[in-house]
Amino acid sequence: MAHLRGGARLEAASRVTDAVRRLAELFVSARRAVAFTGAGVSTESGIPDFRSPGGLWDRFDPSEFTYRNFIASPDGRRRYWDLGRVTYPVIRAARPNAAHGALAELHRLDRLDCCITQNIDDLHQRAGLPADRVIELHGNAARTRCLTCGRAYTRDEVHAWIEARGELPSCPACGGIVKPTTVLFGEAMPAPAMQEAERRSRAADLFVVLGSSLVVYPAAYMPAHAKHAGATLAIVNLEPTPLDAQADLVIRAKAGETMTAIIEHVRARLLDLADAAEGNEALGRQPVP
Ligand SMILES: [Zn+2]
């Protein structure tokens, strides 16, 4: 009986391994691979999913943190920054994980066009993926902007102002309201990022979802755009998603461990291909007998 259970486990593990190998091969052969990351990738770095019900919303009422409340009154902004002084240090202290590292390396190996992300934690950039290859659908918690003159300030600067003066942050240049670039409840999605994400999703020949349950719209339309335009769709997520039935490959596993296995396989395959190319070149240099 123990033997049978062991055998069943082995079989399940080899199915996962086969799927991982297939996904690695897809990365090797893709011309334009696009990754799409969600909260699951951030939680593997220890960042809680702030949007889902849980500890944080026992202390703060989510209905208060709307765009309207932030814009409408100093009191609304004060509540927002009080929340930020709890949440932002957690984000700031988090470190990129294996999934972030693997995506940055895939880009360096010319195997990844870009990463479209629902996350706001800046961890793709901190892992080494160039900022112009990270399309942030919900903004970035590490950056703020003056709503009047548009000047940008880091979140670290703004928090230092709050700590030093104990008052609401205002733009040093014009006195305007400073707001994090994250999309608040009730706020419109950033149009340039949405357009760029749609364009790149439609141009992809491989679209890989990592750690997203694909339930937050309109972000979750991206894999559907890619699939309709002819991309191969792969989904790596611990839980089922509404798009699993349309996907070409579904891996129910964590993003970090899956991407670690994938990047190892991709590195090895690219070395093989380089050796083969070198071998062919050496053959071509043989003197004609
Ligand atoms: Zn300003």
Side-chain angles (χ1 to χ4, degrees):
M1 199 60 195
H3 173 75
L4 279 177
R5 279 208 301 273
R9 267 204 304 276
L10 273 179
E11 194 189 303
S14 72
R15 269 204 302 274
V16 171
T17 309
D18 286 348
V20 165
R21 193 172 297 126
R22 273 181 67 201
L23 183 50
E25 286 299 325
L26 288 167
F27 273 113
V28 170
S29 59
R31 286 176 301 103
R32 284 176 78 105
V34 170
F36 179 94
T37 57
V41 171
S42 293
T43 55
E44 288 185 38
S45 281
I47 298 173
D49 184 358
F50 293 124
R51 281 173 186 257
S52 66
L56 188 70
W57 298 130
D58 294 339
R59 293 162 61 195
F60 295 93
D61 177 0
S63 67
E64 286 182 359
F65 299 97
T66 60
Y67 180 68
R68 184 187 294 261
N69 281 355
F70 186 92
I71 297 300
S73 74
D75 189 48
R77 289 193 286 284
R78 188 173 307 282
R79 284 169 207 254
Y80 178 85
W81 289 110
D82 283 348
L83 172 71
R85 288 167 74 188
V86 175
T87 57
Y88 182 64
V90 176
I91 295 171
R92 191 73 187 82
R95 293 284 169 263
N97 63 51
H100 299 107
L103 291 173
E105 184 172 349
L106 282 170
H107 179 259
R108 281 196 296 277
L109 295 170
D110 199 23
R111 299 289 86 217
L112 185 75
D113 176 54
C114 69
C115 178
I116 300 169
T117 187
Q118 298 173 283
N119 301 333
I120 59 168
D121 50 37
D122 207 41
L123 291 180
H124 287 297
Q125 294 92 325
R126 283 166 57 195
L129 193 57
D132 66 351
R133 297 295 163 150
V134 184
I135 301 166
E136 297 170 312
L137 300 180
H138 297 152
N140 185 313
R143 293 199 299 267
T144 77
R145 203 163 39 234
C146 171
L147 295 180
T148 304
C149 74
R151 278 186 177 79
Y153 303 98
T154 68
R155 184 74 171 264
D156 290 337
E157 282 178 278
V158 172
H159 277 242
W161 301 341
I162 299 171
E163 297 303 328
R165 295 170 213 156
E167 55 192 42
L168 283 173
S170 57
C171 175
C174 79
I177 293 173
V178 173
K179 180 191 162 294
T181 63
T182 42
V183 176
L184 303 187
F185 295 112
E187 182 176 2
M189 306 282 282
M194 285 298 290
Q195 285 159 12
E196 182 73 356
E198 278 193 38
R199 189 179 71 75
R200 289 185 186 263
S201 298
R202 291 204 166 97
D205 60 347
L206 172 63
F207 193 98
V208 181
V209 175
L210 292 166
S212 174
S213 297
L214 299 177
V215 290
V216 177
Y217 285 89
Y221 285 125
M222 299 305 157
H225 288 318
K227 180 69 186 167
H228 292 157
T232 301
L233 175 61
I235 298 176
V236 180
N237 196 52
L238 278 174
E239 307 295 329
T241 82
L243 264 77
D244 284 2
Q246 290 183 53
D248 300 280
L249 188 58
V250 175
I251 300 176
R252 294 266 166 78
K254 288 188 170 181
E257 62 194 23
T258 305
M259 290 309 294
T260 297
I262 282 172
I263 195 69
E264 283 170 8
H265 191 88
V266 169
R267 271 189 217 125
R269 284 283 286 120
L270 292 180
L271 280 175
D272 286 350
L273 291 171
D275 284 351
E278 208 170 277
N280 288 339
E281 203 183 308
L283 280 175
R285 281 201 301 266
Q286 295 288 320
V288 179

